[in-house]
Amino acid sequence: MSKSPSSSNGSGSAEAEKVHAPAQHSLLKKGGPDDLLLMAYKKVEKKLASSLKAQLSDTIGCEVILEVGDSEKLLFDDWLSDQEAASVYLEFQLGVLETPLWVRISRTFVTAAMDCFFGGEFDGQIEADGELKKSEIAMIDRLAAAMENGLTEAWSALGEMTIRYSGHFSDKDDVESNLADGSVLIAATSAELSGHKIAAIDIVQTLDGLIAIEPQLNRSEHRATNEIDPVWRDALTNSAEQIYLPVRSVLGRPTMQLSELSRLAVGDILPVAGTDNVPLIIGDRVFAHGIVGEQNGGVAFKIKHFS
């Protein structure tokens, strides 16, 4: 994991100012050309509390009250180095983006969720540390599935974004994020179980990820207007009408013993039972049923009904 190098000249406050200086991207400038993208992400934040609350409550069998704070812009490495309490770091993929979306879950919340899952209550006194037990890993996987569904639902505020869980890390030193822009948006989230509040979850959205999906968000806005380009629509229709599909009908499917097949010779006649319900098949799908007859001296198929 790469770290920002420390400066050896200047005071500590000057050094801190240098480390925390935001990257010079228009996303970070109030009123800049990409400021609308940050405003769009606020729609996701507004849905996070309700979508995650429902998913987590169903998963652990206990009501979870969530409070999602407003996102704070930080450098990813600085946020990670400040984590002191024992935590688990869940990695998610947003669509096909290379930059992951991270979720930090405190070990205390994992243990409290296990107590609720097995019928107990969180007493506010749990402290978890050390190696993860098998039961904790199983609960982490359950929480990750709930987070996956909740995050996907929240992102639906902007468009069809699929969130996929990639895995977890129990040691923050194993967490890496190769970002062109090291800035991230951190939404600190508290969870209340059995009347006790925990600093349970951090949702970490990279600015690289937001920048990458900006074209998709723009397409979503165009779709929302319900305006269809008539030239594009006619071209698509004409192209679709030129597609060739195999069409066939099956008169019968007689079965024969292998001994009978071995005795077949040129001129043999195989009986086919007559039917008025012959299938008309397009590709691998039965499209209609009808009757086989004659028209203008040739074999013809008359459609009786569509399937």
Side-chain angles (χ1 to χ4, degrees):
M1 180 176 62
S2 60
K3 297 290 183 180
S4 300
S6 299
S7 174
S8 58
N9 50 7
S11 63
S13 60
E15 178 183 344
E17 182 180 353
K18 178 181 179 180
V19 172
H20 290 279
Q24 293 303 308
H25 188 278
S26 56
L27 265 174
L28 305 179
K29 299 175 184 177
K30 186 72 173 177
D34 292 323
D35 194 45
L36 290 177
L37 190 54
L38 290 178
M39 293 174 62
Y41 182 63
K42 291 293 183 183
K43 296 180 181 180
V44 176
E45 288 184 326
K46 288 181 179 179
K47 292 193 67 171
L48 277 174
S50 59
S51 60
L52 292 179
K53 175 183 182 297
Q55 294 292 335
L56 292 173
S57 296
D58 289 345
T59 296
I60 68 177
C62 176
E63 184 181 11
V64 180
I65 301 174
L66 291 181
E67 292 184 9
V68 180
D70 292 336
S71 287
E72 178 184 7
K73 284 194 285 286
L74 296 172
L75 293 177
F76 181 82
D77 288 347
D78 291 342
W79 164 79
L80 190 61
S81 63
D82 287 341
Q83 302 305 312
E84 296 179 355
S87 300
V88 179
Y89 301 87
L90 310 183
E91 184 180 16
F92 295 88
Q93 294 302 132
L94 175 58
V96 297
L97 300 184
E98 295 181 0
T99 57
L101 186 156
W102 291 95
V103 175
R104 181 199 66 85
I105 299 181
S106 70
R107 288 281 297 276
T108 300
F109 181 71
V110 173
T111 308
M114 289 175 57
D115 282 352
C116 289
F117 183 78
F118 290 109
E121 287 190 356
F122 175 49
D123 60 6
Q125 303 299 318
I126 300 173
E127 293 293 339
D129 207 341
E131 293 292 327
L132 288 170
K133 303 181 181 65
K134 289 184 178 180
S135 57
E136 289 181 297
I137 294 175
M139 176 52 65
I140 290 168
D141 288 338
R142 294 188 186 97
L143 294 176
M147 296 289 299
E148 183 179 85
N149 294 332
L151 289 168
T152 298
E153 182 180 343
W155 270 96
S156 68
L158 294 184
E160 298 179 1
M161 302 287 179
T162 302
I163 310 292
R164 299 184 306 279
Y165 173 55
S166 302
H168 72 269
F169 300 90
S170 57
D171 189 337
K172 68 179 183 180
D173 291 335
D174 294 331
V175 177
E176 295 183 354
S177 187
N178 298 320
L179 304 174
D181 184 331
S183 300
V184 291
L185 299 173
I186 310 292
T189 303
S190 65
E192 184 178 322
L193 291 86
S194 306
H196 300 281
K197 185 176 288 189
I198 312 168
I201 300 168
D202 282 351
I203 299 168
V204 185
Q205 171 63 52
T206 67
L207 293 188
D208 280 357
L210 285 179
I211 295 166
I213 66 171
E214 185 175 13
Q216 295 174 252
L217 300 184
N218 290 336
R219 284 197 296 271
S220 297
E221 291 174 0
H222 292 323
R223 285 198 301 269
T225 64
N226 293 323
E227 295 180 359
I228 300 176
D229 183 349
V231 176
W232 173 85
R233 179 188 58 199
D234 292 343
L236 179 62
T237 301
N238 292 335
S239 297
E241 290 177 347
Q242 302 304 315
I243 297 174
Y244 288 87
L245 295 173
V247 179
R248 69 186 188 278
S249 59
V250 180
L251 298 179
R253 291 189 175 92
T255 58
M256 302 180 66
Q257 294 180 347
L258 184 59
S259 58
E260 294 174 317
L261 288 173
S262 64
R263 292 195 295 270
L264 287 177
V266 176
D268 286 350
I269 297 175
L270 301 180
V272 177
T275 177
D276 60 354
N277 200 35
V278 176
L280 182 69
I281 302 171
I282 299 179
D284 294 324
R285 178 184 175 186
V286 176
F287 181 73
H289 287 82
I291 303 171
V292 175
E294 182 180 349
Q295 183 180 46
N296 299 328
V299 178
F301 182 91
K302 181 179 180 180
I303 295 176
K304 289 180 59 181
H305 60 83
F306 293 98
S307 300

